[in-house]
């Protein structure tokens, strides 16, 4: 990471020198206009890329399209970090599946998650497949997707329901859902391979950076208090361990293996560097079911990265992007 920071500092110095050479003296102290970037970057993905929750910043799309991109999500953080180096097109969208990236239009849900929340602007018009933002001139593609194809949100919901019925004992969710996990992961693998082929065809010169998912569940699930909605609610400790070992870690491995089949693709591992910052850790980079902040109403977060989590993602994705163009 030190080498990355040094390179970033050199890029910043070069950008400052270039700006100083072209800004007239009478405009000294004024905010410079955005420099025209030579490198084209397209950010694709689901809610772990888009941001979505309040803890990941303020919405940036006006009028709203229902995708809920936020200003502290990692694509927006990187755009500010690498100011003027890349021209960003961010079409990531909450609730996107792999097929929504490849070739299937998506009907965004915004913040409409009944019975938990109602969105006054729902329903939203469909958005095109995200791959349509990629073209022959694209230099770098970042894509973070797969959790919705796996059905992770539905799995979490079912695990809460079954954990509530069990009173916090045993592994009721594992007992009910484990037999179907392999088929879900196989679907992720098949769709991901096809998506990478589509992206390479649309952007033949682009480097594709496949972004994995962070550590959501700690090694010690006893840290996740049963019934605590700022953590995992009524999911049992045993089921949390199963979710980590047999669902989330294999999901990342599936994405990594798919990336390894494409010469144009690399995998960005967010899981290892986010260990110790799960939903149940004191310095958490992922919110629980709810985010509770002093003086504010509770916000539905449903296990998504907060601004700190996106900052971590930005660090590692930036490094991969700079390596891709070096």
């Amino acid at each position: 990471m030190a080498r990355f920071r040094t390179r970033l500092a050199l890029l910043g110095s070069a950008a400052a020198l270039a700006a100083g050479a072209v800004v007239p003296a009478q405009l000294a102290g004024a905010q410079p206009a955005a420099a025209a970037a030579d490198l084209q970057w397209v950010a694709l993905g689901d809610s772990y890329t888009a941001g979505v929750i309040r803890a990941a910043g303020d919405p940036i799309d006006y009028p709203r399209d229902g995708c809920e991109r936020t200003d502290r999500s990692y694509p927006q953080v990187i755009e500010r970090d690498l100011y003027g180096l890349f021209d960003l097109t961010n079409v990531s969208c909450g609730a996107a599946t792999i097929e929504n990236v490849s070739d299937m239009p998506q009907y965004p849900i915004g913040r409409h998650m009944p019975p938990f929340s109602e969105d006054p602007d729902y329903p939203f018009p469909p958005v095109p497949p995200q791959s349509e933002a990629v073209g022959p001139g694209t230099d770098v593609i970042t894509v973070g997707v797969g959790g919705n194809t796996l059905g992770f949100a539905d799995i979490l919901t079912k695990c809460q329901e079954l954990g509530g019925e069990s009173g916090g004992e045993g592994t009721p969710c594992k007992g009910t859902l484990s037999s179907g996990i392999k088929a879900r992961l196989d679907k992720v693998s098949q769709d991901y391979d096809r998506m990478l082929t589509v992206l390479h065809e649309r952007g033949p010169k682009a480097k594709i950076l496949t972004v994995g998912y962070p550590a959501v569940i700690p090694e010690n699930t006893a840290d996740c208090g049963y019934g605590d909605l700022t953590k995992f609610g009524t999911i049992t400790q045993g089921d949390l361990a199963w979710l980590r070992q047999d669902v989330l870690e294999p999901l990342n491995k599936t994405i990594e293996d798919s990336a390894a089949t494409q010469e144009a693709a690399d995998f960005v591992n967010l899981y290892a560097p986010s260990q110790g910052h799960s939903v149940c850790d004191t310095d958490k980079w992922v919110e629980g079911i709810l985010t509770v902040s002093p003086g504010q109403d509770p916000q539905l977060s449903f296990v998504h990265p907060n601004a700190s989590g996106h900052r971590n993602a930005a660090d590692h994705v930036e490094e991969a992007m700079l390596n891709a163009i070096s």
Side-chain angles (χ1 to χ4, degrees), residues 114-191:
F116 305 107
S117 64
E118 303 279 342
D119 193 319
D121 296 328
Y122 183 85
F124 296 91
V127 295
Q130 293 180 30
S131 66
E132 292 187 7
V134 175
T138 303
D139 296 288
V140 176
I141 301 165
T142 57
V143 56
V145 71
N148 294 311
T149 298
L150 183 75
F152 184 59
D154 292 338
I155 293 172
L156 282 182
T157 300
K158 187 65 175 178
C159 287
Q160 286 189 83
E161 175 189 329
L162 293 171
E165 292 172 356
S166 76
E169 299 298 324
T171 55
C173 200
K174 176 182 178 180
T176 301
L177 300 181
S178 62
S179 62
I181 296 301
K182 183 181 183 302
R184 291 173 184 256
L185 290 169
D186 287 345
K187 169 68 169 170
V188 170
S189 179
Q190 293 163 11
D191 287 3

Side-chain angles (χ1 to χ4, degrees), residues 271-325:
Y271 191 85
S274 59
Q275 293 279 7
H277 300 280
S278 76
V279 167
C280 305
D281 288 302
T282 302
D283 182 16
K284 62 182 177 183
W285 292 351
V286 183
E287 297 296 310
I289 305 298
L290 295 179
T291 298
V292 178
S293 302
Q296 298 182 14
D297 292 334
Q299 298 287 336
L300 181 66
S301 296
F302 208 62
V303 191
H304 281 81
N306 55 31
S308 296
H310 281 280
R311 175 68 265 179
N312 172 67
D315 286 342
H316 295 281
V317 176
E318 278 178 25
E319 183 170 19
M321 291 173 68
L322 293 175
N323 285 334
I325 64 172

Side-chain angles (χ1 to χ4, degrees), residues 98-116:
I98 300 170
E99 289 179 322
N100 293 141
V101 174
S102 299
D103 53 19
M104 183 182 293
Q106 179 182 353
Y107 289 82
I109 61 173
R111 299 184 182 277
H112 193 71
M113 295 182 65
F116 305 107

Side-chain angles (χ1 to χ4, degrees), residues 42 77 149 243 259 295 312:
V42 179
V77 172
T149 298
L243 284 168
N312 172 67

Side-chain angles (χ1 to χ4, degrees), residues 6-19:
T6 300
R7 186 186 303 178
L8 189 57
L10 289 172
L11 283 169
S13 298
L17 287 171

